[in-house]
């Protein structure tokens, strides 16, 4: 007789899972205690040593042993964004409620490419998209969108919709079906600022425009896209016979968190009948906060918007969102596939979300978002955003008052850019080495970037529980390490 394989779903699924979940949670706890800080000490070699055993042995160890050993090693070797000193990236500590909800999604393994694989998933994603469309100020009855793997996919898909729109205007063609017509090669342009996320240039390459299609509009003195420069760049492009496919504005740049002047940019894009895509992967979270939402005034004028709830939304990866002001914008990527979504099934009410994404199989990542929204409400989400914003303001104040630290500029959202100011030695080399020292010692994960040709350090504050003393301790530890480095 063959033994029954333990599945996660079905009637016996919950009982199959229960002991494994207890094992996983115990191992997570042990691994986290053994790590004892935000990341493992000793760098990559120490992490490798945690996983010394063959990952694909001929005979398996069995579920309990494998899960216990590997979950403990995984936790011990991880950089944990829930630790107050793990502040390098837009790498959020997920909420317990979101992770619990994600388990439900994983068990049912719904896939959003056809209604018959995800009846509830299809409904829940539509509800989440409806709510988020309303949050950005779109008419939710006219708008549409999808949950994506993150800001990168949202930017790529938003720019794909923009390209299709531009091609249909210029040549009545759809690039998805027939490629870019030869007469338009080398003439399609995407305008953005130099602080735009690199995924925009990569998208231009993927979309057949070439990365050189990206035209950088200069920043103003406030590090936001300069609207006058955008106006003159668009006029220049037009006079050369180039075709602007999209203007990309950023609401929350990766380093400084600054928000481009959306109303002015929207006005100029409209004057040129050019698609406006707003990358609000970081700053979109501010829409939950009554205090910060006004920073995004004008976002409702965008043709497409990228949001990302695995940043200021406290979701486990992945929880990107792409919204389009008009559902019809997705028409070029809609498909009828005989085995997934025939027209007669759709007409009978079994409507699929296949045409909302370039992916086929797609997780119901909307479920954890829906549960989180219902648990916290918009007010609760806004409170988390406000807490992190407050931390950034306090950290900036500490940096500003510190004789050996220099603040780059006041925080807009939740990042603080600063550096140690040595009395002697190369500031760039010292700041870069301090970050590595903290990493090697498992003491802190501090961000690093380059601005105006110099190395700066970055705190990306996304943990609503972090306290002011914890941030002050981190800064004090960093200064001690920097002094050591300077006097070595
Ligand atoms: C402004 C901005 N856009 C897009 C992205 C890419 O998002 P993801 O990493 O979710 O693909 C990031 C990532 O940090 C970002 O900061």
């Amino acid at each position: 007789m063959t033994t029954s394989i333990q599945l996660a779903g079905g009637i016996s699924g919950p009982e199959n899972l229960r002991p494994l979940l207890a094992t996983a949670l115990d191992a997570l706890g042990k691994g986290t205690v053994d790590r004892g800080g935000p990341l493992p000490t000793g760098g990559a070699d120490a992490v490798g040593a945690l996983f010394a055993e063959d990952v694909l042995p001929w005979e398996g160890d069995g579920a309990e042993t494998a899960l216990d050993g590997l979950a403990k090693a995984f936790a011990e070797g991880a950089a944990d964004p829930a630790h107050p000193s793990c502040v390098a990236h837009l790498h959020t500590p997920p909420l317990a409620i979101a992770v619990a909800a994600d388990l439900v999604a994983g068990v049912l393994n719904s896939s959003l490419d056809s209604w018959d694989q995800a009846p509830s998933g299809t409904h829940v994603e539509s509800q989440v998209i409806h709510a988020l469309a309303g949050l950005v100020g779109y008419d939710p009855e006219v708008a549409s969108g999808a949950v994506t793997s993150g800001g990168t996919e949202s930017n790529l898909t938003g720019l794909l919709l923009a390209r299709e729109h531009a091609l249909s205007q210029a040549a009545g063609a759809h690039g998805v079906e027939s490629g870019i017509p030869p007469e338009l090669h080398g003439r399609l342009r995407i305008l953005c600022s130099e602080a735009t996320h690199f995924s925009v240039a990569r998208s231009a390459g993927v979309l057949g425009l070439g990365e050189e299609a990206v035209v950088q509009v200069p920043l103003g003195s406030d590090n936001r896209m300069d609207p006058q420069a955008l106006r003159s760049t668009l006029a220049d492009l037009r006079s050369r016979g180039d075709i602007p496919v999209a203007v990309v504005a950023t609401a929350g740049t990766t380093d400084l968190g600054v928000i481009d002047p959306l109303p002015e940019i929207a006005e100029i894009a409209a004057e040129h009948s050019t698609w406006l895509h707003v990358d609000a992967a970081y700053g979109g979270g501010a829409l939950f906060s009554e205090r910060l939402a006004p920073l995004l005034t004008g976002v409702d004028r965008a043709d497409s918007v990228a949001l990302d709830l695995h940043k200021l939304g406290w979701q486990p990866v992945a929880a990107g969102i792409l919204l389009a002001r008009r559902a019809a914008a997705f028409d070029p990527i809609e498909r009828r596939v005989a085995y997934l979504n025939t027209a007669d099934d759709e007409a009978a009410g079994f409507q699929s979300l296949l045409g909302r994404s370039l992916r086929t199989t797609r997780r119901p990542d909307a479920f954890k978002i829906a549960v989180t929204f219902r648990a916290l409400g918009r007010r609760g989400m806004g409170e988390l955003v406000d807490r992190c914003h407050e931390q950034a303001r306090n950290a900036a104040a500490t940096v500003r008052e510190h004789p050996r630290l220099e603040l780059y500029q006041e925080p807009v959202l939740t990042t603080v850019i600063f550096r140690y100011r040595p009395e002697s030695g190369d500031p760039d080399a010292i700041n870069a080495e301090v970050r590595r020292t903290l990493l090697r010692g498992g003491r802190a994960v501090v961000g690093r970037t380059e601005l105006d040709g110099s190395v700066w350090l970055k705190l990306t504050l996304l943990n609503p529980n972090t306290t002011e003393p914890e941030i002050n301790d981190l800064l004090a530890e960093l200064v001690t390490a920097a002094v050591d480095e300077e006097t070595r």
Side-chain angles (χ1 to χ4, degrees):
M1 207 178 76
T2 53
T3 49
S4 170
I5 302 299
Q6 297 219 317
L7 300 178
I11 295 286
S12 50
E15 289 318 312
N16 292 341
L17 271 174
R18 207 178 297 279
L20 292 172
L21 286 180
T23 301
L25 296 176
D26 287 348
L28 266 170
K30 278 188 260 159
T32 304
V33 168
D34 286 356
R35 181 187 346 108
L39 83 163
T41 42
D45 290 344
V47 175
L50 293 170
F51 296 91
E53 287 175 30
D54 188 0
V55 75
L56 182 59
W58 180 252
E59 287 296 342
D61 293 345
E64 284 287 338
T65 305
L67 183 61
D68 179 49
L70 284 175
K72 182 175 170 302
F74 202 62
E76 194 175 339
D80 185 354
H83 192 285
S85 296
C86 189
V87 288
H89 301 286
L90 287 161
H91 173 203
T92 208
L95 297 173
I97 181 67
V99 172
D102 204 26
L103 174 73
V104 174
V107 166
L108 294 165
N109 217 18
S110 311
S111 177
L112 299 179
D113 45 324
S114 65
W115 190 91
D116 59 359
Q117 295 175 86
S120 52
T122 303
H123 186 81
V124 169
E125 174 161 301
S126 304
Q127 273 191 316
V128 165
I129 293 299
H130 194 276
L132 289 170
L135 191 71
V136 304
Y138 284 166
D139 176 351
E141 303 306 325
V142 178
S144 189
V147 179
T148 69
S149 59
T152 301
E153 184 187 339
S154 300
N155 286 340
L156 173 65
T157 313
L159 290 173
L160 169 62
L161 304 186
R163 186 194 72 178
E164 294 305 288
H165 176 75
L167 287 182
S168 67
Q169 282 196 328
H174 281 311
V176 168
E177 288 162 10
S178 46
I180 298 172
E183 68 275 17
L184 298 184
H185 279 171
R187 291 176 53 204
L188 303 174
R189 300 276 176 254
I190 292 174
L191 291 91
C192 59
S193 85
E194 71 191 57
T196 301
H197 192 260
F198 65 87
S199 58
V200 167
R202 283 219 296 215
S203 298
V206 171
L207 293 170
L209 277 57
E211 294 204 16
E212 62 277 15
V214 173
V215 178
Q216 282 188 352
V217 177
L219 297 171
S221 55
D222 53 3
N223 286 309
R224 308 193 308 160
M225 186 191 283
D226 176 356
Q228 289 322 317
L230 172 64
R231 195 185 292 280
S232 58
T233 308
L234 269 166
D236 275 1
L237 291 181
R238 289 270 189 222
S239 68
R240 274 193 261 135
D242 285 352
I243 297 170
V245 166
V247 173
V248 178
T250 306
T253 55
T254 313
D255 283 334
L256 295 173
V258 298
I259 296 165
D260 285 334
L262 302 180
E264 290 92 330
I265 292 173
E267 198 58 44
I268 297 165
E271 281 165 21
H272 285 262
S273 305
T274 299
W275 186 280
L276 173 61
H277 175 76
V278 174
D279 178 356
Y282 177 20
L287 291 166
F288 295 117
S289 152
E290 281 185 327
R291 179 158 31 122
L292 298 179
L295 291 172
L296 270 83
T297 298
V299 68
D300 56 321
R301 297 186 62 188
D303 296 285
S304 53
V305 179
L307 304 173
D308 210 343
L309 297 171
H310 59 234
K311 299 187 177 16
L312 275 180
W314 296 279
Q315 298 300 301
V317 175
I321 307 284
L322 172 69
L323 299 171
R325 185 145 47 91
R326 293 174 309 104
F330 284 95
D331 286 353
I333 60 168
E334 181 61 89
R335 289 292 175 275
R336 289 277 155 257
V337 178
Y339 71 90
L340 288 174
N341 64 344
T342 54
D344 54 336
D345 272 1
E346 297 252 328
F350 299 109
Q351 279 163 6
S352 78
L353 299 176
L354 183 69
R356 294 289 177 268
S357 172
L358 291 172
R359 286 190 272 165
T360 305
T361 299
R362 195 155 64 87
R363 287 189 94 238
D365 284 314
F367 182 67
K368 63 199 176 196
I369 299 172
V371 174
T372 305
F373 284 0
R374 188 79 76 79
L376 275 74
R378 183 178 157 194
R379 195 193 58 69
M381 295 293 291
E383 188 189 321
L384 302 190
V385 174
D386 288 346
R387 281 198 199 189
C388 297
H389 177 63
E390 209 52 45
Q391 287 170 19
R393 286 161 57 101
N394 291 338
T398 305
V399 167
R400 213 183 308 107
E401 284 154 23
H402 197 291
R404 305 303 298 277
L405 295 176
E406 178 183 358
L407 183 68
Y408 186 80
Q409 71 171 48
E410 288 304 317
V412 180
L413 294 170
T414 68
T415 45
V416 184
I417 306 276
F418 68 104
R419 65 180 168 180
Y420 174 75
R421 243 191 332 220
E423 282 167 351
S424 61
D426 174 2
D428 285 356
I430 291 173
N431 279 283
E433 189 53 34
V434 164
R435 188 186 102 87
R436 283 190 292 269
T437 302
L438 295 175
L439 273 182
R440 256 184 239 113
R443 285 147 64 194
V445 194
V446 172
R448 165 194 176 158
T449 192
E450 272 171 43
L451 293 165
D452 309 330
S454 300
V455 172
W456 291 81
L457 301 176
K458 175 165 76 163
L459 308 182
T460 309
L461 299 165
L462 293 177
N463 182 342
N465 290 333
T466 299
T467 61
E468 208 175 331
E470 283 169 334
I471 297 175
N472 290 344
D473 286 351
L474 168 61
L475 288 170
E477 187 164 16
L478 188 144
V479 170
T480 306
V483 171
D484 283 354
E485 180 61 30
E486 185 181 355
T487 51
R488 215 155 46 94

